[in-house]
Amino acid sequence: FLDGGKPTVALVYQAVQALYHDPDPAGKERASVWLGELQRSMYAWEMADQLLQLKQDVESCYFAAQTMKMKIQTSFFELPPETHIALRDSLLSHIQSLKDLSPIIVTQLALAIADLALQMASWKGCVHTLIEKYSNDVSSMTFLIEILTVLPEEVHSRSLRIGANRRTEIIEDLAYYSSTVVTLLMTCVEKSGSNEKMLIKVFRCLGSWFNLGVLDSNFMANNQLLMVLFQVLQRDETSTNLHEAASDCVCSALYAIENVDTHMPLALQLFQGVLTLETAYHMAVAREDLDKVLNYCRIFTELCETFLETTVKSPGQGMGDLRPLELLLICAGHPQYEVVEISFNFWYRLGENLYKTNDPALHGIFRPYIQRLLHGLARHCQLDPDHEGIPEDTDDFGEFRMRVSDLVKDVIFLVGSMECFSQLYSTLKEGNPPWEVTEAVLFIMAAIAKSVDPENNPTLTEVLEQVVLLPETVHIAVRYTSIELVGEMSEVVDRNPRFLDPVLNYLMKGLREKTLASVAAKAIHNICSVCRDHMAQHFQGLLDIARALDSFALTTEAAVGLLKGTALVLARLPLEKIAECLSDLCAVQVMALKKLLSQDPSNGKAADPTVWLDRLAVIFRHTNPIVENGQTHPCQKVIQEIWPVLSQTLNTHQADNRIVERCCRCLRFAVRCVGKGSASLLQPLVTQMVSVYQVYPHSCFLYLGSILVDEYGMEEGCRQGLLDMLQALCMPTFQLLEQPNGLRNHPDTVDDLFRLATRFVQRSPVTLLSSGIIVHIIQCAIAATTLDHRDANCSVMKFVRDLIHTGVSNDHEDDFELRKQLIGQAMGQHGQQLVTQLMHTCCFCLPPYTLPDVAEVLWEIMVFDRPTSCRWLENALKGLPKETSGGALTVTHKQLTDFHKQVTSAEECKQVCWAIREFTRLFR
């Protein structure tokens, strides 16, 4: 495409037409690819400008406006500084000439202008110049307000790296002109009367300035615009769109005064303004206008969030007034559950705050509110009286109930779990409520059962007694939730083993029914986990269930859960019994795998063994008996017997990443289960891993390798073999990662490779450091530090940190001096490159959450050799760019020297982390 030189405008126009109108999807696709390449090229600037000038139709202008915005955001450096003014003037003339063509084009051009203004240091006081130029012309008002709306929004845009210095300068500039903007907006409202479209634009713009946090609160408190805002929200006839815009704006204003004490006059105006909306809320309820009801609830919630600390500090006094809480409880009374759901975050935060202050008198003030909330929530959790079948977990209402359950757990301490549990139970005992009320009460009881103290508690034992007596004739949803409740009460069963038989009988009934099987399995799993010792006598029963697992209608997850419960109990049997029982438990899965292997592959594909592999994995993972030193591990023999089947399964499916992953997972837990007892598998397992990996480099082999190094790396006799394995696995890995974009396309491989290398550093550092492969691994690590992928990056940083640390930590092992010398050699070779790369990476490639990991690496480098690392850091800093392509200063000389000093004189890693945090903001 680009070889042909610059395309003509006519050709670009033709491609845009094809993108929107070509009846052939392949033609559309070709046009899309071609236009994408054009947008990335240098020609895009000129083509976009010409299309906007031609003004042929909405589609070509939209493409051109969007291209302009994208180029300014991502490729502004392509333009020489002397063209900036011409670009600005041309964009302003385009937005003026296209203002009536389409609002989406105006938005794209407004974004382009805003992004230009933020990057172009020579354009001083852009707000002032724009207002001066356009505010007297009514027809320019729409695009002027659009630019003034997006400008504050773009200040913190992720796609612009303008740096903290420039950002601070811009924010100060915008704060300076903010009252001019508000006055302009007010004039607009006065001139346009009650023109709804204009009001929506004005409120959006005002909200945007509130969000940036630059409006002067004294000026705003007495501003007419605030009055207009509340009048719109009080009026019954306000349209839905305008109502939403006004609500958004009030929420932004409330959010902006989060720090109430510094915004007193405005805080008071907003507080009183919102309280006047109660009547309007009731009106919206009466008119069944759910959109408005939701808006009011958002505003009331935001009010409570803003004044949360004031309310907790001085409840009932001044702006600690409790009326906002009353408003939220009124909303909780609305029949639609979506309304109360809006306020959940506030109730959660209130609970958290009160929990921290731990003041009984204070808790007493808020208790009645929480009681009323819980009452409302229990009612919202009721299923429809005509609901059939079990409660759905996955639909919106099911998710709402899960959120209720979480919230109840978080705030129950204010009411007292026991009191609440007893109250709920008495509503069931004394009344004869309809099934949907019973079910909802059991649901809330299940949420708090675990937080009730199970020690000699007669109410709990009575509940358990009554629940397991529920007849099979009650509504299936009641049985479902009662089974959940029993599962949550496993602590009570553990304290009162006399209930174990009736409880298990009750759960077995559920297990045999199609719709209750999975929930019953989950409850049995819970009981097994908590009552492991009491369950030992029932092991035969569990084994019978496990043998007939597929005769029950279980989800995959429930089946695996049951096997986990069985394995947990199995581990508590006497040692001599374990081997035989484990063999029994695994037999079903092994038989199934053997059967699959013996079948002829249907349509050339072997049947999927993952179900059985996952079941074996969970059995190995949770069968962890206590084995004294010198005793043979009871699981060793079983795992040796199973190995040939696993090996064969792995071979058959070696091309299928998903199945190989499950095989490796199964083997990982088998090795972990018996530890050193799996020595006889080491040779054949490593041989097979290495040979399959040459053809199919699945990253899970690297992970499995790290497990083997962890288990055997301390054994003198295994070290060379493990090193050979590492070298054999590294060759195909490096080939994969050296492809174009190899690191970015294979983050799992990066993650697992450095896990493996880190295990080596931890278990046998000298073996690795003396080998030839270490240079390549370090080189790969330095290249991979730029990878913006959470797990992979964490893995790389941990490897580098641990590697250097082996030369720092004198653990009084014989090999410390040798380790120190080897690390010294490695750092001499790679230190400067590593430090330079790390600085570049954290300024330009990585998100802020990764910085603590980078700080740890830098800290270890410093601890290892402070004088040299000072020099390395100085050189790295010299290489960073000092100003942006828009001519703004990115970093001052003083900021560079301060940072260097903070890092090199740091006395703990935390200080390095703070310094990097502050410093990298200059480049974001």
Side-chain angles (χ1 to χ4, degrees):
F1 154 74
L2 293 177
D3 311 341
K6 185 168 73 178
T8 61
V9 182
L11 187 60
V12 179
Y13 180 71
Q14 212 179 322
V16 175
Q17 286 300 306
L19 178 67
Y20 286 102
H21 301 296
D22 192 328
D24 172 23
K28 270 187 170 32
E29 182 54 33
R30 273 199 306 278
S32 173
V33 171
W34 190 84
L35 289 168
E37 281 189 38
L38 170 71
Q39 283 183 320
R40 285 188 290 279
S41 78
M42 275 291 289
Y43 304 125
W45 296 101
E46 193 186 332
M47 292 297 120
D49 191 49
Q50 290 186 12
L51 281 175
L52 289 167
Q53 226 151 1
L54 283 171
K55 212 160 105 171
Q56 276 185 288
D57 50 30
V58 172
E59 286 136 355
S60 61
C61 287
Y62 177 70
F63 169 76
Q66 191 207 17
T67 302
M68 267 305 183
K69 177 201 71 177
M70 203 175 91
K71 293 299 280 184
I72 290 173
Q73 278 183 353
T74 58
S75 314
F76 189 54
F77 59 86
E78 292 177 352
L79 295 181
E82 60 273 16
T83 60
H84 294 173
I85 291 177
L87 173 65
R88 175 191 70 189
D89 295 345
S90 127
L91 285 173
L92 288 171
S93 84
H94 289 319
I95 199 168
Q96 181 143 31
S97 77
L98 295 166
K99 61 178 184 282
D100 301 322
L101 190 57
S102 153
I104 55 171
I105 294 173
V106 171
T107 300
Q108 292 297 313
L109 286 172
L111 283 164
I113 292 163
D115 291 340
L116 176 65
L118 296 176
Q119 294 180 89
M120 183 174 154
S122 58
W123 186 0
K124 302 273 183 240
C126 65
V127 172
H128 181 67
T129 52
L130 289 168
I131 290 180
E132 230 175 21
K133 186 166 177 173
Y134 298 112
S135 62
N136 295 324
D137 171 24
V138 176
S139 67
S140 306
M141 229 33 187
T142 48
F143 73 78
L144 174 60
I145 291 185
E146 188 65 34
I147 298 173
L148 293 174
T149 303
V150 297
L151 187 63
E153 291 170 351
E154 289 295 287
V155 171
H156 292 291
S157 159
R158 285 284 170 83
S159 37
L160 296 179
R161 301 190 82 105
I162 54 179
N165 288 334
R166 173 72 180 151
R167 201 169 277 117
T168 307
E169 185 189 338
I170 289 163
I171 290 173
E172 284 169 6
D173 197 44
L174 293 181
Y176 183 74
Y177 291 113
S178 61
S179 44
T180 320
V181 174
V182 176
T183 309
L184 170 78
L185 293 177
M186 193 55 224
T187 316
C188 239
V189 172
E190 285 163 354
K191 279 190 185 160
S192 67
S194 55
N195 175 340
E196 182 184 313
K197 274 196 174 142
M198 191 42 108
L199 271 178
I200 290 177
K201 282 190 190 321
V202 165
F203 291 158
R204 264 197 57 217
C205 185
L206 181 62
S208 170
W209 285 75
F210 267 127
N211 286 337
L212 190 61
V214 292
L215 294 179
D216 178 288
S217 49
N218 291 338
F219 175 75
M220 281 314 299
N222 306 311
N223 194 278
Q224 231 6 74
L225 211 44
L226 214 54
M227 314 274 279
V228 176
L229 201 51
F230 282 111
Q231 281 164 2
V232 165
L233 288 168
Q234 285 157 355
R235 275 212 312 270
D236 181 35
E237 55 277 10
T238 299
S239 74
T240 307
N241 290 346
L242 180 57
H243 197 276
E244 184 169 12
S247 302
D248 289 343
C249 187
V250 171
C251 288
S252 297
L254 285 164
Y255 186 73
I257 58 159
E258 193 92 75
N259 199 340
V260 178
D261 301 340
T262 53
H263 299 286
M264 254 338 184
L266 179 57
L268 193 61
Q269 290 292 341
L270 289 168
F271 190 87
Q272 291 166 341
V274 174
L275 287 180
T276 64
L277 300 177
E278 187 182 341
T279 327
Y281 168 83
H282 288 301
M283 194 63 180
V285 174
R287 292 199 185 278
E288 295 189 2
D289 188 337
L290 186 60
D291 289 330
K292 284 188 181 176
V293 168
L294 291 168
N295 285 336
Y296 289 124
C297 188
R298 274 194 307 140
I299 294 173
F300 299 156
T301 302
E302 203 63 65
L303 178 74
C304 289
E305 296 242 20
T306 294
F307 291 98
L308 173 64
E309 281 174 22
T310 321
T311 314
V312 173
K313 247 187 272 171
S314 50
Q317 295 154 28
M319 283 189 275
D321 192 328
L322 296 171
R323 275 181 303 171
L325 292 187
E326 288 289 346
L327 291 177
L328 280 197
L329 289 174
I330 291 173
C331 291
H334 190 280
Q336 306 282 106
Y337 70 84
E338 293 88 345
V339 181
V340 68
E341 196 168 15
I342 290 173
S343 64
F344 277 17
N345 190 50
F346 163 73
W347 293 112
Y348 168 72
R349 279 185 58 203
L350 175 66
E352 201 178 27
N353 255 354
L354 291 170
Y355 189 77
K356 281 181 192 152
T357 46
N358 197 8
D359 167 356
L362 196 58
H363 290 189
I365 294 174
F366 290 96
R367 181 170 297 125
Y369 291 93
I370 300 294
Q371 276 168 330
R372 285 162 60 194
L373 174 70
L374 291 175
H375 191 78
L377 291 176
R379 207 181 50 252
H380 278 298
C381 283
Q382 289 174 18
L383 298 162
D384 282 337
D386 54 3
H387 176 91
E388 289 179 6
I390 60 171
E392 279 297 330
D393 280 348
T394 48
D395 61 2
D396 289 346
F397 185 54
E399 282 180 15
F400 167 74
R401 293 198 351 153
M402 291 324 294
R403 290 193 63 197
V404 169
S405 176
D406 292 341
L407 178 61
V408 170
K409 289 182 173 79
D410 286 330
V411 297
I412 194 65
F413 72 92
L414 281 163
V415 182
S417 320
M418 189 55 224
E419 294 86 309
C420 186
F421 197 83
S422 305
Q423 268 178 347
L424 288 165
Y425 177 51
S426 63
T427 58
L428 298 182
K429 199 161 85 170
E430 284 150 25
N432 183 13
W435 77 264
E436 69 276 11
V437 175
T438 303
E439 191 278 336
V441 168
L442 291 171
F443 178 77
I444 302 287
M445 286 168 77
I448 57 179
K450 274 199 175 121
S451 58
V452 181
D453 182 10
E455 281 306 332
N456 49 42
N457 189 325
T459 309
L460 286 176
T461 49
E462 187 183 332
V463 168
L464 206 47
E465 263 176 313
Q466 293 304 313
V467 168
V468 299
L469 293 174
L470 274 174
E472 291 181 29
T473 50
V474 297
H475 193 292
I476 191 100
V478 174
R479 292 181 61 201
Y480 180 94
T481 305
S482 71
I483 290 173
E484 276 192 310
L485 174 58
V486 171
E488 291 296 306
M489 293 178 75
S490 41
E491 295 279 353
V492 185
V493 180
D494 193 43
R495 303 287 199 298
N496 304 276
R498 65 178 192 282
F499 285 122
L500 196 53
D501 283 354
V503 162
L504 288 174
N505 287 335
Y506 184 65
L507 296 177
M508 277 310 296
K509 272 187 207 153
L511 193 62
R512 292 191 192 99
E513 283 191 40
K514 195 173 171 191
T515 45
L516 300 176
S518 291
V519 72
K522 192 178 162 192
I524 294 173
H525 163 205
N526 275 354
I527 302 247
C528 289
S529 308
V530 175
C531 319
R532 286 169 79 171
D533 294 322
H534 297 307
M535 282 298 290
Q537 54 181 340
H538 290 280
F539 184 74
Q540 195 50 50
L542 289 170
L543 199 53
D544 294 340
I545 295 174
R547 282 196 187 123
L549 208 49
D550 291 306
S551 64
F552 302 108
L554 297 171
T555 61
T556 318
E557 192 188 354
V560 165
L562 256 178
L563 288 174
K564 175 183 169 182
T566 309
L568 288 170
V569 176
L570 168 65
R572 292 295 167 92
L573 298 181
L575 275 191
E576 63 280 2
K577 280 237 164 119
I578 291 181
E580 178 197 346
C581 292
L582 178 67
S583 191
D584 266 0
L585 190 54
C586 295
V588 182
Q589 341 300 329
V590 176
M591 291 297 293
L593 286 173
K594 280 184 175 160
K595 191 174 160 199
L596 290 183
L597 289 168
S598 65
Q599 283 170 2
D600 276 335
S602 57
N603 64 35
K605 251 184 100 176
D608 185 349
T610 49
V611 172
W612 314 105
L613 292 169
D614 287 353
R615 289 182 185 180
L616 280 175
V618 79
I619 296 169
F620 295 143
R621 184 177 191 171
H622 297 285
T623 306
N624 35 24
I626 296 149
V627 182
E628 304 294 325
N629 261 349
Q631 286 181 304
T632 306
H633 197 292
C635 308
Q636 194 174 317
K637 185 167 156 287
V638 182
I639 285 170
Q640 277 166 350
E641 287 164 5
I642 290 177
W643 159 247
V645 182
L646 292 177
S647 172
Q648 217 184 326
T649 303
L650 181 55
N651 253 345
T652 307
H653 297 279
Q654 53 182 295
D656 186 327
N657 182 53
R658 189 178 62 95
I659 297 176
V660 171
E661 223 165 54
R662 303 303 239 292
C663 276
C664 285
R665 191 168 166 271
C666 190
L667 286 162
R668 160 191 158 195
F669 289 123
V671 170
R672 287 286 195 216
C673 173
V674 291
K676 304 275 179 295
S678 59
S680 60
L681 298 187
L682 200 52
Q683 188 64 50
L685 174 55
V686 168
T687 310
Q688 185 172 4
M689 281 163 60
V690 168
S691 80
V692 174
Y693 192 78
Q694 306 297 323
V695 192
Y696 300 106
H698 303 298
S699 74
C700 50
F701 287 126
L702 300 170
Y703 187 89
L704 188 53
S706 74
I707 303 288
L708 296 175
V709 172
D710 194 37
E711 290 289 343
Y712 293 99
M714 309 284 275
E715 306 283 309
E716 199 48 62
C718 299
R719 284 175 168 171
Q720 188 53 47
L722 290 169
L723 182 65
D724 295 342
M725 169 191 81
L726 174 68
Q727 288 176 316
L729 292 173
C730 273
M731 288 313 147
T733 306
F734 292 152
Q735 278 171 356
L736 188 69
L737 299 179
E738 279 160 10
Q739 293 168 0
N741 290 329
L743 293 165
R744 215 177 44 236
N745 295 340
H746 304 283
D748 297 351
T749 301
V750 175
D751 184 9
D752 293 329
L753 170 68
F754 287 103
R755 253 176 224 260
L756 169 57
T758 304
R759 287 290 192 206
F760 238 112
V761 168
Q762 292 164 348
R763 293 285 173 254
S764 182
V766 174
T767 313
L768 180 63
L769 285 162
S770 324
S771 72
I773 196 84
I774 185 66
V775 177
H776 304 288
I777 294 178
I778 293 175
Q779 282 294 339
C780 183
I782 292 175
T785 53
T786 57
L787 190 61
D788 175 9
H789 180 282
R790 190 176 287 244
D791 297 338
N793 197 284
C794 185
S795 217
V796 172
M797 295 297 176
K798 184 166 173 37
F799 163 72
V800 181
R801 184 207 155 274
D802 285 9
L803 182 74
I804 301 165
H805 190 70
T806 47
V808 171
S809 66
N810 187 354
D811 41 21
H812 307 294
E813 295 273 337
D814 316 338
D815 61 2
F816 176 62
E817 284 309 317
L818 176 56
R819 285 192 332 236
K820 195 170 165 182
Q821 182 198 335
L822 288 166
I823 294 292
Q825 286 168 8
M827 289 308 286
Q829 216 176 338
H830 308 284
Q832 180 67 70
Q833 191 195 354
L834 174 63
V835 174
T836 304
Q837 179 82 310
L838 283 175
M839 284 318 301
H840 173 82
T841 290
C842 60
C843 289
F844 300 108
C845 309
L846 297 182
Y849 69 77
T850 57
L851 296 180
D853 296 344
V854 178
E856 284 200 5
V857 176
L858 278 176
W859 170 250
E860 290 295 337
I861 296 174
M862 294 233 317
V863 177
F864 183 71
D865 181 348
R866 208 172 276 250
T868 316
S869 55
C870 286
R871 209 171 57 245
W872 287 338
L873 183 60
E874 187 181 342
N875 294 335
L877 294 175
K878 279 181 183 155
L880 292 173
K882 309 296 180 281
E883 63 169 52
T884 65
S885 39
L889 194 65
T890 303
V891 54
T892 64
H893 181 68
K894 183 175 184 311
Q895 284 169 327
L896 284 170
T897 49
D898 285 354
F899 172 66
H900 186 274
K901 190 174 165 198
Q902 284 163 347
V903 173
T904 52
S905 63
E907 283 170 16
E908 50 178 348
C909 184
K910 251 200 324 229
Q911 295 163 309
V912 178
C913 190
W914 287 330
I916 291 186
R917 272 231 158 91
E918 282 309 304
F919 185 70
T920 52
R921 284 201 179 111
L922 300 169
F923 297 88
R924 282 188 200 289

